[in-house]
Amino acid sequence: LADAGVRLRETAVQFGRGGELIGVVAEPPVWGASLGRPGIIFLNAGLIHRVGPYRLHVRIGRKFASRGMLSLRFDFSGIGDSRPAADGSPIIQRRVAETRAAMDLLNAKYGVERFVLVGNCSGAVAAFHAGDVDRRVVGLGLINLPGHAVASYYLRLITSNPKTWRRLLYGRVKLPRLLPRLRRSAPVEAPTARTPDFFPTVASLAERGVEILLANCEWDRGYDYFHRKHRDRLQQSPVRERLELEVIPGANHEFGSLDSQQRLIEILERWASRVETAGQ
Amino acid sequence: MTVQSTARGETRLPLYFASASLFGCYHPPTHRQTRRCAVVLCYPFGQEYIRTHRSFVQLAKRLAASGFPVLRFDYYGCGDSAGGSEEGRIRRWVADIGSAVEEVRHQSGLQQVCLVGLRLGGALAVSAAAERGDVDSLVLWDPVIRGPDYREQLRALQEEAIRFGYMELPSNNGDAGIPEEVLGFPYTPGIAEDLTHVDLASIGATVAARVLLIESSDPPGLEALCARLAGSAQLFEHRHLAERRVWMDEPSRGIVPFHLIEEIVGWLTRVYA
């Protein structure tokens, strides 16, 4: 394949207990370049198939390949091209197991021993849980990780973004749904903070040497939770040495503009140079 | 509506073809009786591709369960196929459909091929069928009938995103008011130019012997297209289905238009009984 001025090889793979998981491995253009380096695994963002929102996983995977890093983008069971799983285990348990199956595949087929998991939204949740239980994980790229929804997020939308008023005026936002959220300061959604507890787990990951990128878009509610409410807590030792906090200004949760996509790619490229040596 | 489960025995084969430049996923038939026709699914492009991927998987799965070998594939510069998102051109994509036709024939061992296309994929399927002359049947699902109308729709969608989306976007100030991106994907002058030439009702050649057209609305040019298809195909059927326009829904909603999918599967099953 020719992309971004380099020739790289992309291979379709099928794995999992019943061969139900489907993905694509992007290999560096120079044979052997990825030896000794961690492999990158991209996890589904919600129900978007493995190419990622706006094809970002493809673009980022090819960038990493040009840096000599091998990557796999695959679909969890029941998403994209992967068939639904036959077992009825809880979803997060299944996603952790499938992420570990992806690591096993890269280890068996390409000899990769260390891994960096990258996910947006629910993909970040799965990455976080898999990183907690599998010591082969040396880096976590957590993009728009859902945190507690804080009332300050909704207040910020109303006070700082005139588009909120435009959306209200034109009926794009339903007031009956918005008002209860404004009154609430308690969490309405906190998948990462429930199990395992987020902050102690981040601390133990950092102590283990795992490099963590916590990147949120300016108009994502995780920005308020992680980058405003808990910034000081996250910058305490030992987390500080392993954590990079990044904000993508002017961007929404899905990276719906080419400019925001480019900013994310640049952030991940910078961070990649740090994780290349992680866990050695 | 009841949708039969096809999970038992279902397999999917991911593959690269056309000198490893195109990614596809082949669904072998899971019904005990293999039909005499293979099916190639032609996606829309840009964000419409992302939004409809789930529906295409379900359509492929249902067709395979009814005995049809099916190939879904990504055009050059789209999905997992080679090329950057800004490199796609209509000429190339029409040729890609030709490569997919050869690939599904190779995988299935069948010669007869049906193309199923949604939105721009419908227009590309018509062009490919007219050029090749060996496509047995066509299913056009809300196809783009006139490129200039589609350009206008894309411009309006981007305008909507600029007005209401929580993101900073460049204003529509490109040449002649053409946006440089549409819903997060590059919108190049090349593709904008290509679209000006799309006009399904003016295609002169016979596109296929059997054609099903499914529309959820009444777009400009529909009457002329129906007249054109009715005059050239041996069998032409037109259905109006007020089904969910899934290419407008965000993928997080996971909506699949099962009624419409059953309509397509039912028509092909009757045609290839």
Side-chain angles (χ1 to χ4, degrees):
Chain A
L1 302 182
D3 197 79
V6 295
R7 288 192 69 79
L8 59 103
R9 183 179 147 89
E10 289 186 322
T11 310
V13 291
Q14 206 161 1
F15 61 102
R17 269 182 296 183
E20 72 275 14
L21 303 176
I22 286 178
V24 170
V25 174
E27 295 175 57
V30 180
W31 187 86
S34 64
L35 288 175
R37 290 176 154 148
I40 317 288
I41 299 177
F42 296 99
L43 306 179
N44 292 113
L47 290 177
I48 298 172
H49 73 291
R50 65 181 174 279
V51 301
Y54 309 104
R55 212 177 172 226
L56 270 166
H57 295 174
V58 177
R59 291 166 60 193
I60 298 167
R62 290 175 183 175
K63 285 270 185 197
F64 280 148
S66 69
R67 299 177 62 99
M69 297 172 85
L70 180 137
S71 72
L72 166 68
R73 48 185 188 270
F74 80 101
D75 290 318
F76 288 126
S77 56
I79 297 177
D81 291 333
S82 294
R83 283 183 285 132
D87 70 86
S89 54
I91 191 162
I92 194 65
Q93 199 175 309
R94 205 163 63 232
R95 287 184 175 179
V96 167
E98 290 171 356
T99 305
R100 299 182 86 177
M103 290 189 251
D104 294 342
L105 171 85
L106 292 186
N107 178 254
K109 207 168 170 189
Y110 300 93
V112 182
E113 293 176 338
R114 296 172 297 131
F115 297 91
V116 175
L117 308 179
V118 177
N120 184 12
C121 191
S122 63
V125 176
F128 184 74
H129 284 262
D132 182 38
V133 297
D134 199 309
R135 299 186 75 85
R136 291 176 295 178
V137 175
V138 296
L140 290 171
L142 308 176
I143 303 154
N144 287 333
L145 181 71
H148 290 240
V150 287
S152 64
Y153 165 67
Y154 298 102
L155 285 172
R156 186 164 65 90
L157 286 184
I158 287 171
T159 57
S160 312
N161 198 323
K163 287 186 179 178
T164 303
W165 293 101
R166 191 179 287 159
R167 288 161 74 110
L168 282 165
L169 275 172
Y170 285 84
R172 300 296 200 281
V173 177
K174 307 286 182 225
L175 264 181
R177 287 167 65 181
L178 180 65
L179 289 175
R181 292 179 182 178
L182 277 173
R183 285 202 301 271
R184 224 179 274 162
S185 58
V188 292
E189 188 185 343
T192 58
R194 276 204 297 267
T195 49
D197 190 50
F198 180 73
F199 292 99
T201 306
V202 166
S204 78
L205 285 165
E207 278 174 3
R208 214 177 81 197
V210 177
E211 297 288 344
I212 302 168
L213 168 70
L214 198 51
N216 287 84
C217 295
E218 183 184 359
W219 300 109
D220 175 72
R221 61 186 174 192
Y223 165 74
D224 298 77
Y225 186 71
F226 296 114
H227 298 264
R228 296 175 83 188
K229 189 173 179 185
H230 290 296
R231 193 174 188 93
D232 291 344
R233 193 174 174 188
L234 287 167
Q235 287 185 329
Q236 286 170 10
S237 182
V239 176
R240 187 180 56 219
E241 287 78 28
R242 297 292 177 195
L243 180 73
E244 273 194 32
L245 283 166
E246 293 277 1
V247 174
I248 298 106
N252 67 350
H253 182 73
E254 294 91 9
F255 296 92
S257 69
L258 295 182
D259 182 60
S260 63
Q261 294 164 22
Q262 187 55 36
R263 284 170 192 242
L264 176 67
I265 290 170
E266 286 165 8
I267 285 169
L268 283 168
E269 277 196 289
R270 274 203 307 274
W271 183 66
S273 60
R274 180 169 164 172
V275 299
E276 269 180 274
T277 55
Q280 278 186 325
Chain B
M1 133 164 287
T2 307
V3 176
Q4 293 174 5
S5 166
T6 61
R8 184 176 298 171
E10 189 211 357
T11 53
R12 301 175 187 180
L13 176 66
L15 48 89
Y16 275 94
F17 62 100
S19 305
S21 65
L22 302 179
F23 173 85
C25 191
Y26 177 66
H27 297 243
T30 54
H31 194 276
R32 58 189 159 74
Q33 179 199 352
T34 300
R35 309 274 168 183
R36 63 179 193 278
C37 180
V39 180
V40 172
L41 302 188
C42 305
Y43 287 103
F45 94 114
Q47 183 66 345
E48 291 185 352
Y49 157 78
I50 298 281
R51 289 170 171 172
T52 56
H53 187 273
R54 189 175 180 82
S55 295
F56 267 50
V57 173
Q58 293 302 316
L59 174 58
K61 188 174 159 176
R62 287 288 300 121
L63 286 168
S66 299
F68 293 97
V70 184
L71 178 66
R72 295 179 284 116
F73 80 102
D74 296 333
Y75 309 114
Y76 185 81
C78 301
D80 282 305
S81 289
S85 301
E86 69 291 344
E87 291 182 87
R89 294 297 296 262
I90 282 184
R91 287 293 327 145
R92 170 73 204 240
W93 294 342
V94 169
D96 290 345
I97 292 176
S99 300
V101 166
E102 298 309 323
E103 183 62 26
V104 81
R105 282 176 171 157
H106 170 71
Q107 291 289 340
S108 68
L110 297 173
Q111 279 305 301
Q112 282 191 326
V113 173
C114 170
L115 302 180
V116 178
L118 169 62
R119 306 290 295 143
L120 188 66
L124 299 174
V126 169
S127 296
E131 279 184 21
R132 295 180 62 85
D134 63 352
V135 171
D136 191 63
S137 59
L138 268 176
V139 175
L140 307 175
W141 170 6
D142 278 287
V144 168
I145 297 175
R146 295 201 306 215
D149 296 335
Y150 185 50
R151 275 177 51 143
E152 179 55 28
Q153 289 166 24
L154 295 177
R155 191 201 59 73
L157 284 170
Q158 183 64 7
E159 190 66 43
E160 173 100 354
I162 291 168
R163 290 188 75 198
F164 296 108
Y166 283 128
M167 54 191 161
E168 286 166 15
L169 282 163
S171 60
N172 278 354
N173 58 0
D175 291 345
I178 300 170
E180 290 167 359
E181 58 182 281
V182 170
L183 303 185
F185 280 89
Y187 184 64
T188 62
I191 198 79
E193 165 67 17
D194 290 349
L195 287 174
T196 61
H197 304 297
V198 172
D199 182 4
L200 295 197
S202 73
I203 288 181
T206 296
V207 289
R210 292 165 262 262
V211 182
L212 171 66
L213 172 64
I214 300 180
E215 278 288 353
S216 62
S217 61
D218 186 14
L222 179 63
E223 208 173 310
L225 176 64
C226 286
R228 168 75 190 82
L229 293 172
S232 66
Q234 289 170 22
L235 170 70
F236 170 64
E237 292 185 34
H238 175 214
R239 307 250 201 289
H240 178 81
L241 276 183
E243 180 58 286
R244 190 93 192 176
R245 309 179 89 205
V246 282
W247 58 93
M248 301 291 281
D249 284 319
E250 286 311 321
S252 58
R253 305 190 70 179
I255 295 170
V256 172
F258 280 113
H259 183 55
L260 191 144
I261 285 174
E262 289 306 306
E263 193 72 30
I264 294 173
V265 174
W267 187 80
L268 282 170
T269 304
R270 286 192 298 280
V271 166
Y272 297 99

